[in-house]
Amino acid sequence: MLKTINLHKKYNDFTALQSLNLEVGKGEIFALLGQNGAGKSTTINILLGLIKATSGDAFINHISVKDNPQDIKKHLAYIPETVLLYPNITGIENLDFFSQIAGFSYNRDELSAFLKRTGLQETAHHKALGGYSKGMRQKVGIAIALAKDAKVLLLDEPTSGLDPIATAEFTEIVRQLGQEGRTVFMATHDIFNAVSVATNIGIMKQGELVQHLPSRDFSASELQELYLKTI
C-alpha cells in the first residue's frame, strides 16, 4: 500500500533524505521514530506530494507519487500534529464539508455514524469545533479519513499533547484501522505508544532509515535503549 524506492531529497548541499527504501503493507501500522530533523516530515511531505523528491519515487496503492500527485490523494488521508479544521462550525459540519470536497455525500445519520466510530461522544457532534480538545479534533480528522474511504493514513506526531486517556483512545482507534485493512504510517517521538500500537518500527537518523524491525521483538524499554544508541 505504501512503498518508497531509493527516495532522496537534497536542499542545496543539505541531504534531508537519502536512499529510503520502505514497504508498508495492507493493515500494517508503521511507526517512524527519529529526532527533529531526521527526515520524518520530509518523508511524509513527499508521500503527500507536497514536495518533490530529488530522485527516486514513492507509491501509494501502486500509484506513483511523482507521476500522479493528484490521483494518490484519493487513497490518502493526512492527520497533522495540529488538526486544521474550521473552529466556528460543528464537528459534523466539518466532516460534511471535507467529505464533499473529497467527492462524497452523506446524510446526517451517516455522518454521525462516522464520528461515533472514532469514539467522539455524541453530545460533541453538534458543538463548535473551537471548543474541542486536541484528541477530539483528531477523532474528527480520522472520521474524515473514514468518510473518504482512505486506504492509507499518514499521521504526524499523533500523541503529542494528548493526556494518557486520550492517548489510549487514539491507540485503540489506530488498532481498529489496521484490523479493517487500512495502512497507517505515523511519525512520532512516542516510543511507548509506538511499541503499543505499531506492527513495525523504523528509526531514522540524518535522513537514513537505520533500523527497521517488528515491534513484537522489543519491549518499550528495550526499544528506548536501541533508539538512544542509534541516534
Side-chain angles (χ1 to χ4, degrees), residues 37-38 48 50 57 65 74 90 94 113 122 127 134 205:
L48 289 168
L50 297 178
D57 201 358
V65 175
K74 301 172 186 175
T90 68
N94 268 280
E122 199 166 351
K127 291 183 178 179
K134 177 182 176 179
K205 180 181 180 181

Side-chain angles (χ1 to χ4, degrees), residues 17-33:
L17 199 63
Q18 50 184 323
S19 302
L20 179 62
N21 291 285
L22 181 65
E23 289 190 38
V24 186
K26 182 179 180 181
E28 185 177 340
I29 301 167
F30 187 89
L32 186 62
L33 301 170

